Amino acid sequence: MEFKGRDIISIKDFTREEIDYILKIASAMEPIAKSGSDMLQRKTLATLFFEASTRTRLSFEAAMHKLGGSTIGFAEAKTSSVKKGENLADTVRVVESYADVIVLRHPLEGAARLAAEFAHVPIINAGTGAEEHPTQALLDLYTILKEKRRIDGLNIALIGDLRYGRTVHSLAYALSLYDVKLHLISPEPLQMRREVLDTIKEKIEVIQKTEIEETLPEIDILYMTRIQKERFPDPAEYAKVKGSYKINLEMLKNVKKDMIILHPLPRVGEIAAEVDETPHARYFQQVWNGVVARMALLALVLGAIK
Ligand code: NCD
């Protein structure tokens, strides 16, 4: 297994063995995240964010700092030369003179792949359009493993916007490498992208539904998502599906005692605040797991860990 110098563009570029190894390194990063380390001293991470972000950008920065490295970057394209018309290929060819690794978020599908073609340093995809968000999938898997001690054998439900949500695309691909039963619950117009569905159906049992209630009692992992309002071509279409699912205390009456609820965040009403205090809620712990998972990735692609 070779990670040094590698781009992280799609979760499909990884085998189960490689993913399991990343998760193992993430676990080893837990104490280091608390104590700090100089593992990536004199290394620089550049974050190029052409789309809004809180967790992904800040957790990459936190991960780099905890390993002794430094960070540069922009959180809004309008403050960079992109505003003057510089294209993505030129932007990454410039930034690679300043940084050892580039984390990129972009509204266009294929943007990370394109950047990787031009850059000599590793490119990490931090979300490209509605396509993929591979590092989120890694932290989601890490959260499942940490909470359940296994991924195989679980009943997992992905709920909400499975069409425009990039986190569920990467997560579904990743879960198809394990022995899981996957429940895909969404309004009709927001069903899982065809290309994802076709790939995962060949490998695991997939059940598609529009209603959540009758599935809830058999679920081990409930993965909620936000309806991706900004990606709808037509606001009238969004109005039809807005607020489709909302988890509240009433709905949790018949669930497994050890069922856990995850969400990539931000939430905008899919999970009632009253659920936060229940033993099922894990979405804020998931945020911490994002830091250790990204520490593992950075240490691996920069060759500090083999
Ligand atoms: C997600 C994203 O940007 O795709 N956020 C994140 O990175 N945790 C989910 C979302 O925006 O709904």
Side-chain angles (χ1 to χ4, degrees), residues 52 55-56 105 133 136 166-167 226 228 230 263-266:
R55 278 148 292 268
T56 307
R105 170 169 287 190
H133 193 345
Q136 178 72 42
R166 55 195 172 198
T167 70
R226 173 179 73 89
Q228 309 280 299
E230 69 277 23
H263 192 309
L265 300 179

Side-chain angles (χ1 to χ4, degrees), residues 65-293:
H65 293 149
K66 285 174 188 297
L67 292 173
S70 58
T71 60
I72 56 173
F74 56 79
E76 260 188 311
K78 69 173 187 243
T79 65
S80 77
S81 282
V82 172
K83 176 95 171 134
K84 302 178 188 167
E86 185 160 61
N87 66 33
L88 184 62
D90 284 0
T91 302
V92 299
R93 278 185 287 194
V94 167
V95 173
E96 71 177 355
S97 288
Y98 311 141
D100 303 286
V101 54
I102 296 174
V103 176
L104 175 78
R105 170 169 287 190
H106 202 281
L108 291 180
E109 299 190 5
R113 187 75 71 194
L114 177 89
E117 276 169 29
F118 288 94
H120 299 93
V121 300
I123 298 285
I124 301 181
N125 178 2
T128 34
E131 185 184 30
E132 272 215 56
H133 193 345
T135 70
Q136 178 72 42
L138 289 167
L139 81 88
D140 294 336
L141 291 181
Y142 179 65
T143 304
I144 295 171
L145 191 61
K146 188 166 148 181
E147 295 289 338
K148 297 284 178 197
R149 303 274 143 222
R150 67 193 168 112
I151 298 172
D152 289 320
L154 296 177
N155 259 287
I156 301 177
L158 308 183
I159 300 168
D161 189 345
L162 309 184
R163 179 185 174 108
Y164 297 116
R166 55 195 172 198
T167 70
V168 281
H169 299 155
S170 292
L171 184 55
Y173 283 131
L175 287 171
S176 73
L177 301 175
Y178 295 83
D179 177 22
V180 299
K181 189 166 161 188
L182 200 58
H183 303 258
L184 302 178
I185 302 171
S186 69
E188 202 81 44
L190 299 183
Q191 275 180 7
M192 182 57 90
R193 253 164 106 122
R194 175 58 51 194
E195 70 202 72
V196 180
L197 208 50
D198 289 347
T199 309
I200 63 174
K201 267 188 164 167
E202 282 178 10
K203 300 180 185 157
I204 53 170
E205 188 182 350
V206 177
I207 299 144
Q208 287 182 284
K209 286 222 172 95
T210 54
E211 297 302 320
I212 189 172
E213 280 77 7
E214 63 179 33
T215 311
L216 273 176
E218 55 174 307
I219 294 304
D220 299 299
I221 310 283
L222 193 65
Y223 190 95
M224 299 298 297
T225 64
R226 173 179 73 89
I227 310 272
Q228 309 280 299
K229 183 180 179 187
E230 69 277 23
R231 306 213 192 276
F232 280 69
D234 177 359
E237 289 304 306
Y238 172 70
K240 283 186 205 156
V241 291
K242 182 176 178 240
S244 293
Y245 307 103
K246 180 164 185 160
I247 298 294
N248 55 28
L249 283 186
E250 179 66 25
M251 292 172 80
L252 294 176
K253 273 194 179 142
N254 294 319
V255 301
K256 287 186 183 175
K257 257 199 171 62
D258 60 352
M259 184 274 274
I260 59 165
I261 305 171
L262 304 182
H263 192 309
L265 300 179
R267 66 169 157 182
V268 289
E270 308 82 45
I271 306 175
E274 63 192 19
V275 175
D276 298 359
E277 304 310 322
T278 69
H280 304 291
R282 287 293 185 289
Y283 27 92
F284 290 114
Q285 283 87 338
Q286 204 178 343
V287 174
W288 164 262
N289 295 337
V291 178
V292 291

